[in-house]
Amino acid sequence: MLLKTSLRSFFAHKGRMLLSLIAVVLSVAFVSGTLVFSNTATSTFDKLFASTASDLSVQPAKPELGDDPRAKTLTVPADSVGKVAAIPGVRTAVGQVAVQSATLADPATNKRVGPTSGAPTIVGNWADTPRNAVEITSGHAPQGADQVVVDADTAKKAKLAMGGRLRLITTDKHDFTIVGIAAFKTTNPGAALAFLDTATAQKVLLGQSAYTSVEVFGDGSRTDEQLKAAALAGLGSGVQAKTAAEQKAENADSVGSFLNFMKYAMLGFAGISLLVGGFLIINTFSMLVAQRTREIGLLRAVGGSRRQVNRSVLVEALLLGAAGSTLGIGAGLGLAVGLIQLMNAVDMHLDAGDLKIGADVFIAGYAVGVVITVLAAWIPARRASRIAPIAALRDHGTPAEPRSNTIRAVIGLVLTAGGGGLLVLAAGAKEMATGGRYIGLGVVLTLVGFVVLGPLLATTLVRVLGAVLPALFGPSGKLAQRNAMRNPRRTGATAAALMIGLALVIGASVFTSTVIKSTNVQIDRSVGADYIITGGQNGLSQEIVDAVRKTSGIDHVTEQKYLPARFTAPDGKTSEEGVSAVSAKFTEDFRLPVKEGSADSIKQGALAIGEDYAKDRGLRIGDSLKIEYGQGRVQSLPVGVIMTKGNSLFDGNTFASIEAVSKAVPAADQPADAVLFGKAAAGTDVAGTLTALEGALKEYPQASVRDQAGYKDLVQSQVNTLLYMIYGLLGLAIVVAVLGVVNTLALSVVERTREIGLLRAIGLSRRQLRRMIRLESVVIALFGAVLGTVLGLAWGITGQRVLRTQGLEALSVPVATIVFTLAASVVIGLLAALVPAFRAGRMNVLAAIATD
């Protein structure tokens, strides 16, 4: 009987539950789609690594210190191939050359060819192995010193064709003819590939007859571990060996970190959407229970218990959750396909036809959809079960709970005050870690506190926000204001859904705006150089340095190199910090944030170290640090400068002069410059010199030059990319919140059918009625936007204070974004009211009055 009653009630109100169903569908789709995408991407790369990994890969020994991509490429001797091939159990051994320090360009335009998303450009030799990652689909393998094979994706993107020319830039420039196009057998992880014949690859890429690795394939008579032991024994020191399993694990870790970041970030936003959807479902069931008060009273009068009434509502929620979860999982598959297409657009090619839909997708989808729906419905279900039969039969509404407002006010104030106190403590914390803990808990408590206080705040704030409505819109405005205030609990819950999304938008805007402003302030204060020349992960060759120096209008050039190094402090503690080696003009082009010492001491062979490192090691001016660069190269340098922390341009760096470092590491063994800084000569046109620099570097597509304004624009574009991604993901939560406003208005129109009929009967026109509902929606949306703005500002400002020692020293409040958000909330309110207002205006007056 209980199930039968629940089913009848559910299908009788299916139209009213439609928007709640959509909220569940969207939230579940986000969760299930993320899992399907993650599973598919992981499976695709697992197949790639499993199908291409050799049984054993012999490589140069791991550098003694952290490897720098700008350093000289490490190799294994050419005779290693023969030695490994002679090991019992080895079927074949293939010498391979592969480097990521070369640049590909189109000779016709000299523009760079290759990925722009951070994936590498890999150039090597073409070597047939039993497990090639690619196969030649057009043309043939390179067979001469001027021939090259490129991968199909790069050829398509750069419009390269068979017989065309391709330029390879290392320390020199080499032009090749494209004789073959190769396609990946499984998936392209986003890299650009170019293959030369072995002799040419060794000469051009390594400058010697050697290999970067020897790939070993066994005959099955010995295990990979046995082959590894034999290879290491036969080759001695200077090499390392990795089995197929170790290669797969290493590759999976490198790709997995990116995929996991995406997965957990998207699941986090899915959680926000679920929270917002929860308010929508609470409102839906609260209003449905209120409209069915007399029906519930009849159930109780004929013998239904509180438990049965409670179960009846929860069964309806269970049906809603199950239906929403089923549809959501289906929609999630579409979302996963969309994400895969997005990855394909940024050169990480995945197969949308091979979706991996594991049991975890269904478990998570149904668990999330059903659990959140049932929990959200439990509050109104509990309230429904407490309705006394006689009161329900007499009253068309849920009974008042005299103590509820008092209890709510106390709980809300305690939570909000506690959260606010934690935000204040976070803002005043001296250590970032301490402040981070405080702000995390403070955000949660203030959010929950505002949600709890929402219905109580609604009465006051809606009266203020709607104060001008009676004057501007007459009776429609006055009715809209009072309608929004009539049920504060419903208004508070509806506004809370919008509040959460907008609070996160405002908080993210404050953070990113602060990052941009702080970076600009630091550049203006600390950078005296007029131009910044970078070369990506490959560094800048001496040719580029010479070209910059020879440019007309350049007064001088400052070089900066990065050398991996191990520091040993006077207390005996060691750490791998690395040294930024700079030329003599560095202290003229940069104003170091000096806490102690003199910046000019760098010219005399001293070190500039950070404040935190000095504090942790108890270092003072004049103390010596022992620096090991590997290969037995050691020197001791005195501390000449201790830099104040909080400047992102210098934090984490240790500076020494190139001249001082050269006493331990010969210039020929030092890595390429990581970055160059140019200073315009006095009296020259800075903009004109920038144009001259761009012309001088036209032959070097691997290098890019910017002035200070251009560098600021680069930082802003990078931060804005992150911000727009956050906005896009938060958009789902805001969509669900808008559905909540629509649902609330639609159900309130049904609830007030008789009242609307009476208003129409006493002279309220259809136009005035529609305006009343639209204004009510706008007031509710504005209420949520105001609460969200207050919370977002509090979170964003506190975040800046917590991170002030990490470089976020200049707070920036995006006023334009806040104004736009408030204006958008008005638009949201108007759009949300379109359908409910239209339906209300079409009601038959007499039928509406006769409604019970």
Side-chain angles (χ1 to χ4, degrees), residues 52-315:
T52 59
S54 58
D55 295 326
L56 185 71
S57 179
V58 178
Q59 305 168 2
K62 187 178 180 181
E64 188 177 340
L65 296 168
D67 192 15
D68 181 3
R70 291 172 289 269
K72 187 176 180 181
T73 303
L74 299 175
T75 61
V76 295
D79 62 0
S80 300
V81 177
K83 292 180 180 179
V84 173
I87 295 174
V90 173
R91 178 174 46 143
T92 183
V94 180
Q96 284 201 334
V97 176
V99 302
Q100 298 183 26
S101 56
T103 301
L104 299 178
D106 183 347
T109 60
N110 207 41
K111 289 186 178 179
R112 190 168 184 167
V113 171
T116 58
S117 57
T121 295
I122 304 173
V123 183
N125 67 322
W126 179 268
D128 283 319
T129 72
R131 299 176 197 154
N132 269 0
V134 296
E135 59 183 350
I136 295 178
T137 55
S138 298
H140 57 81
Q143 298 170 354
D146 67 338
Q147 297 184 356
V148 66
V149 171
V150 296
D151 72 276
D153 294 318
T154 300
K156 181 180 179 181
K157 189 173 182 180
K159 298 180 180 179
L160 303 174
M162 294 283 292
R165 302 287 283 175
L166 182 66
R167 178 166 292 168
L168 173 64
I169 303 172
T170 54
T171 53
D172 299 309
K173 298 174 186 175
H174 309 271
D175 288 352
F176 297 90
T177 299
I178 300 172
V179 299
I181 304 293
F184 276 82
K185 292 180 179 179
T186 51
T187 184
N188 182 353
L193 304 182
F195 301 97
L196 314 173
D197 68 15
T198 299
T200 305
Q202 290 175 327
K203 178 182 178 181
V204 171
L205 302 174
L206 303 179
Q208 59 179 317
S209 179
Y211 298 101
T212 54
S213 70
V214 178
E215 304 304 321
V216 183
F217 301 88
D219 60 12
S221 62
R222 308 184 78 179
T223 66
D224 292 353
E225 290 293 343
Q226 289 173 326
L227 291 176
K228 176 179 179 179
L232 292 176
L235 296 176
S237 60
V239 300
Q240 60 177 332
K242 296 179 181 178
T243 64
E246 291 169 337
Q247 294 174 65
K248 293 175 197 173
E250 184 178 51
N251 289 328
D253 284 343
S254 61
V255 177
S257 58
F258 167 73
L259 294 178
N260 283 337
F261 169 77
M262 284 196 62
K263 174 181 176 180
Y264 293 121
M266 292 178 67
L267 287 176
F269 284 103
I272 294 169
S273 299
L274 286 171
L275 180 62
V276 172
F279 288 107
L280 195 164
I281 297 165
I282 288 174
N283 262 6
T284 299
F285 279 92
S286 294
M287 298 179 76
L288 288 176
V289 167
Q291 292 166 18
R292 290 160 50 197
T293 301
R294 185 165 296 180
E295 174 188 327
I296 291 172
L298 286 171
L299 286 174
R300 294 291 309 283
V302 297
S305 65
R306 286 187 176 183
R307 179 176 295 182
Q308 287 176 314
V309 170
N310 198 338
R311 285 181 180 176
S312 174
V313 177
L314 292 180
V315 167

Side-chain angles (χ1 to χ4, degrees), residues 371-426:
V371 170
I372 195 70
T373 306
V374 172
L375 285 178
W378 177 80
I379 296 174
R382 174 176 169 271
R383 194 178 301 137
S385 67
R386 298 174 64 181
I387 300 174
I390 300 302
L393 289 171
R394 181 183 64 245
D395 221 0
H396 193 66
T398 55
E401 299 179 30
R403 298 180 55 200
S404 64
N405 286 345
T406 303
I407 296 173
R408 177 184 287 270
V410 172
I411 294 174
L413 288 172
V414 169
L415 290 173
T416 305
L422 287 170
L423 293 181
V424 172
L425 289 175

Side-chain angles (χ1 to χ4, degrees), residues 278-636:
F279 288 107
L280 195 164
I281 297 165
I282 288 174
N283 262 6
T284 299
F285 279 92
S286 294
M287 298 179 76
L288 288 176
V289 167
Q291 292 166 18
R292 290 160 50 197
T293 301
R294 185 165 296 180
E295 174 188 327
I296 291 172
L298 286 171
L299 286 174
R300 294 291 309 283
V302 297
S305 65
R306 286 187 176 183
R307 179 176 295 182
Q308 287 176 314
V309 170
N310 198 338
R311 285 181 180 176
S312 174
V313 177
L314 292 180
V315 167
E316 292 180 45
L318 183 62
L319 293 172
L320 178 67
S325 298
T326 302
L327 295 174
I329 291 172
L333 299 182
L335 177 63
V337 172
L339 290 171
I340 288 172
Q341 296 303 325
L342 178 63
M343 290 297 100
N344 291 343
V346 296
D347 300 324
M348 183 178 285
H349 299 282
L350 303 174
D351 184 5
D354 188 25
L355 295 179
K356 296 301 175 184
I357 309 170
D360 60 331
V361 175
F362 293 96
I363 293 172
Y366 281 105
V368 164
V370 172
V371 170
I372 195 70
T373 306
V374 172
L375 285 178
W378 177 80
I379 296 174
R382 174 176 169 271
R383 194 178 301 137
S385 67
R386 298 174 64 181
I387 300 174
I390 300 302
L393 289 171
R394 181 183 64 245
D395 221 0
H396 193 66
T398 55
E401 299 179 30
R403 298 180 55 200
S404 64
N405 286 345
T406 303
I407 296 173
R408 177 184 287 270
V410 172
I411 294 174
L413 288 172
V414 169
L415 290 173
T416 305
L422 287 170
L423 293 181
V424 172
L425 289 175
K430 295 182 179 180
E431 298 293 334
M432 185 186 72
T434 303
R437 288 191 292 270
Y438 285 149
I439 192 175
L441 186 56
V443 164
V444 173
L445 290 182
T446 51
L447 176 61
V448 177
F450 265 54
V451 169
V452 174
L453 283 177
L456 302 180
L457 294 173
T459 304
T460 303
L461 284 180
V462 168
R463 180 178 285 111
V464 174
L465 293 172
V468 297
L469 295 183
L472 293 176
F473 301 102
S476 296
K478 189 171 185 179
L479 287 169
Q481 181 191 32
R482 292 190 175 183
N483 283 337
M485 294 168 54
R486 177 192 298 181
N487 194 329
R489 180 175 289 169
R490 179 195 306 159
T491 299
T494 304
L498 198 57
M499 173 190 75
I500 296 170
L502 296 182
L504 292 169
V505 167
I506 296 296
S509 299
V510 171
F511 175 77
T512 52
S513 179
T514 297
V515 169
I516 293 170
K517 182 177 180 180
S518 297
T519 302
N520 290 345
V521 167
Q522 291 168 3
I523 291 173
D524 292 336
R525 184 177 62 219
S526 302
V527 180
D530 296 306
Y531 314 104
I532 300 98
I533 300 97
T534 56
Q537 64 176 354
N538 303 327
L540 299 161
S541 66
Q542 188 60 45
E543 281 185 321
I544 296 174
V545 178
D546 293 340
V548 173
R549 282 202 173 107
K550 293 175 183 177
T551 302
S552 175
I554 292 293
D555 179 74
H556 65 264
V557 174
T558 296
E559 301 175 58
Q560 183 173 341
K561 304 174 183 287
Y562 178 80
L563 289 84
R566 180 181 295 112
F567 290 0
T568 303
D571 61 5
K573 294 181 179 178
T574 62
S575 58
E576 292 192 13
E577 301 289 337
V579 173
S580 291
V582 294
S583 48
K585 294 286 188 178
F586 179 74
T587 53
E588 297 179 25
D589 290 338
F590 287 89
R591 293 174 285 276
L592 294 181
V594 177
K595 183 179 178 68
E596 297 180 44
S598 169
D600 287 336
S601 65
I602 297 176
K603 298 178 182 179
Q604 282 76 53
L607 288 171
I609 64 174
E611 178 183 356
D612 284 339
Y613 183 76
K615 182 180 179 181
D616 292 342
R617 297 292 184 268
L619 293 170
R620 298 182 178 181
I621 301 298
D623 291 344
S624 290
L625 273 175
K626 178 183 175 183
I627 307 175
E628 302 173 63
Y629 300 99
Q631 301 181 1
R633 293 162 175 163
V634 182
Q635 69 177 164
S636 291

